[in-house]
Amino acid sequence: MQSLLNKKIVLGISGGIAAYKAPELARQLIQEGASVQVVMTEAAQQFVTPVTMQALTGNPVYTSQWDSSIASNMAHIELSRSADAILIAPASADLMAKLSLGLADDLLSTLCLARDCPLLLSPAMNKQMWEHAATQRSAQRLNTDGVAILGPASGFQACGEVGMGRMLEPVEITEQVIAFFQKKSLAGKKVLITAGPTFEAIDPVRGITNHSSGKMGFAIARAAVEAGAEVYLIAGPCDLETPLEATGKITRINVVSAKEMHAATLAAADCDVFFAVAAVADWGIAKPAKEKIKRQGKAAPSIEFIANPDILLDVAKAVKMKGSKPYPYCVGFAAESTDLEAHASDKRQRKGIPMIVGNIGPDTFASDFNQLLVIDETGSKKIPQAEKLQLARQLIGLVAKKI
Ligand code: C5P
């Protein structure tokens, strides 16, 4: 799936060592379907060449407003007129200061002043420069002017220092650009999601778990952040990266057992929407052994199970009404081996929730794809096979209309 299909992006590159990541960023934007038009400042060309950017994007690279070989010397107006967004990565302290004052003394700054499309900046600079009151003032002013500032992150810097000011990685910038273009159907809403499996310890080295990969829950978390929500992601053991972490709009709480997931979820249950996507173990171990259980000949140990708390049921029991709408709006998931619609409908009734989503198999666990059957008070609706992120966006669209 290409999430930037038909999007025209002007990629501005200003002078800073992080410019060495601009070719990779251009490549990723193109991979997502965008067409990329590069504009470079004079300083940027000290770090990466226009030829590199031209070869990667397949488009001429603009470096000066004084280039008389270009048919139109109104490039600064035309480039922004046809663009869906201008993205500047890296954005240097100098460029940010300039843009915050509305200065226009080279092609890139002139283009920004003359634009009628959104502007996104990904700052990159030494930590002292980032922390300097002047830069903070620039960032604040740009923010007030409606410019989106992506990052920066904290970490190792080219100057040898460690701190705030590192440019986000190209993959993070690309994810944020994609998010920028998504409909903000959950702006101002708080969304809680459980995802992944749980692990029930038998002893310090053994336990019982399941095949849930967490991919669907994480895709819903990403789609919810894209839609403008503040997201709490309660994750069972899985090695997936937290989506859109650099936005600061997602809080991930890692848990292991169903009991821990229950406690973490209930503590965060004051939310607008709750998606119970986790494959929670139905039973835990009554008395997990403190030491590793030793093998005793051929005799197998007997393990006593106890029922785990039903997280979704407990959140659903505490639902209040906010006006005429349930708060939180609870969405359950169902994976069944037979008769999905009947079992899922029954589950929806039993748990007293307004919506349940059936995973239409056969192989939904580790796959990036799925098909969904959405059941609510109006009946059932199939969302055909697609990537989990695409399904998640559609599901978020449906839920947003309910709250
Ligand atoms: O019938 P079952 O309990 O398996 O229904 C599945 C739904 O309930 C899923 O949304 C799952 O996340 C949720 N669930 C839960 N806590 C449990 C068991 C299931 O939240 N202990």
Side-chain angles (χ1 to χ4, degrees):
M1 176 192 37
Q2 291 184 305
S3 296
L4 292 173
L5 211 56
N6 301 323
K7 294 283 184 247
K8 289 187 184 152
I9 295 174
V10 170
L11 174 60
I13 309 175
S14 63
I17 184 59
Y20 87 92
K21 291 182 180 170
E24 177 58 24
L25 174 61
R27 208 183 58 80
Q28 288 188 20
L29 295 170
I30 291 165
Q31 236 167 20
E32 289 290 346
S35 75
V36 175
Q37 174 67 70
V38 172
V39 177
M40 298 173 75
T41 65
E42 204 181 325
Q45 295 167 63
Q46 299 293 323
F47 298 94
V48 59
T49 74
V51 177
T52 305
M53 300 313 298
Q54 190 280 326
L56 284 170
T57 61
N59 284 321
V61 170
Y62 294 89
T63 53
S64 165
Q65 73 271 46
W66 310 127
D67 187 349
S68 57
S69 66
I70 303 169
S72 157
N73 58 4
M74 284 289 138
H76 58 288
I77 310 253
E78 273 165 24
L79 281 174
S80 86
R81 289 291 178 273
S82 59
D84 292 293
I86 300 176
L87 166 67
I88 303 183
S92 64
D94 175 69
L95 183 74
M96 287 178 67
K98 225 189 284 193
L99 297 183
S100 75
L101 295 173
L103 296 180
D105 64 353
D106 64 0
L107 180 59
L108 186 54
S109 52
T110 308
L111 191 66
C112 290
L113 197 62
R115 80 184 192 280
D116 61 356
C117 64
L119 174 60
L120 296 86
L121 303 182
S122 189
M125 63 199 74
N126 158 274
K127 77 177 178 120
Q128 250 87 36
M129 290 169 86
W130 172 253
E131 282 160 10
H132 196 286
T135 308
Q136 288 303 308
R137 235 177 358 251
S138 306
Q140 186 59 48
R141 209 180 285 200
L142 287 162
N143 189 42
T144 311
D145 290 348
V147 175
I149 299 186
L150 318 181
S154 179
F156 183 77
Q157 301 200 302
C159 51
E161 293 185 43
V162 176
M164 208 59 179
R166 210 181 127 93
M167 189 171 83
L168 298 183
E169 293 302 325
V171 62
E172 295 174 302
I173 299 175
T174 305
E175 277 184 359
Q176 290 211 36
V177 172
I178 291 169
F180 181 82
F181 286 114
Q182 300 301 314
K183 210 169 145 208
K184 301 293 166 231
S185 57
L186 290 179
K189 303 289 182 195
K190 183 179 157 190
V191 173
L192 173 65
I193 300 160
T194 62
T198 63
F199 181 91
E200 309 298 319
I202 294 172
D203 67 17
V205 295
R206 305 183 184 93
I208 294 177
T209 186
N210 59 63
H211 285 306
S212 171
S213 65
K215 284 182 179 175
M216 192 65 219
F218 276 59
I220 291 175
R222 176 168 169 183
V225 176
E226 287 180 345
E230 181 194 344
V231 173
Y232 284 77
L233 176 61
I234 317 284
C238 60
D239 56 10
L240 299 177
E241 302 254 352
T242 308
L244 287 165
E245 195 172 15
T247 58
K249 302 268 278 178
I250 184 162
T251 305
R252 174 178 180 167
I253 298 155
N254 287 325
V255 294
V256 176
S257 66
K259 258 179 157 173
E260 281 173 30
M261 187 176 274
H262 182 262
T265 306
L266 267 85
D270 182 10
C271 60
D272 296 281
V273 189
F274 172 47
F275 288 98
V277 199
V280 185
D282 291 310
W283 307 284
I285 312 299
K287 288 189 197 101
K290 291 218 163 44
E291 306 291 338
K292 184 181 170 191
I293 301 169
K294 296 275 180 293
R295 201 132 64 106
Q296 288 168 350
K298 289 202 167 151
S302 63
I303 293 166
E304 194 193 330
F305 288 96
I306 47 161
N308 270 331
D310 189 322
I311 304 168
L312 176 55
L313 189 71
D314 286 351
V315 174
K317 271 194 218 154
V319 165
K320 300 183 204 77
M321 295 305 282
K322 217 176 192 181
S324 61
K325 310 269 172 78
Y327 179 93
Y329 185 88
C330 291
V331 182
F333 274 71
E336 302 291 336
S337 46
T338 55
D339 214 352
L340 176 65
E341 182 152 7
H343 286 302
S345 296
D346 178 54
K347 221 167 256 192
R348 177 178 164 265
Q349 301 285 346
R350 257 191 300 122
K351 304 221 182 198
I353 53 172
M355 183 184 280
I356 193 146
V357 181
N359 288 302
I360 303 174
D363 173 30
T364 62
F365 273 134
S367 170
D368 287 329
F369 289 84
N370 202 355
Q371 284 179 72
L372 302 179
L373 184 71
V374 179
I375 303 172
D376 64 9
E377 75 289 352
T378 63
S380 67
K381 178 183 155 141
K382 210 173 184 174
I383 311 185
Q385 169 114 355
E387 272 184 44
K388 286 179 174 171
L389 177 58
Q390 227 168 337
L391 296 172
R393 287 181 185 146
Q394 292 181 62
L395 190 58
I396 291 286
L398 293 177
V399 169
K401 288 189 194 130
K402 306 275 189 184
I403 61 168

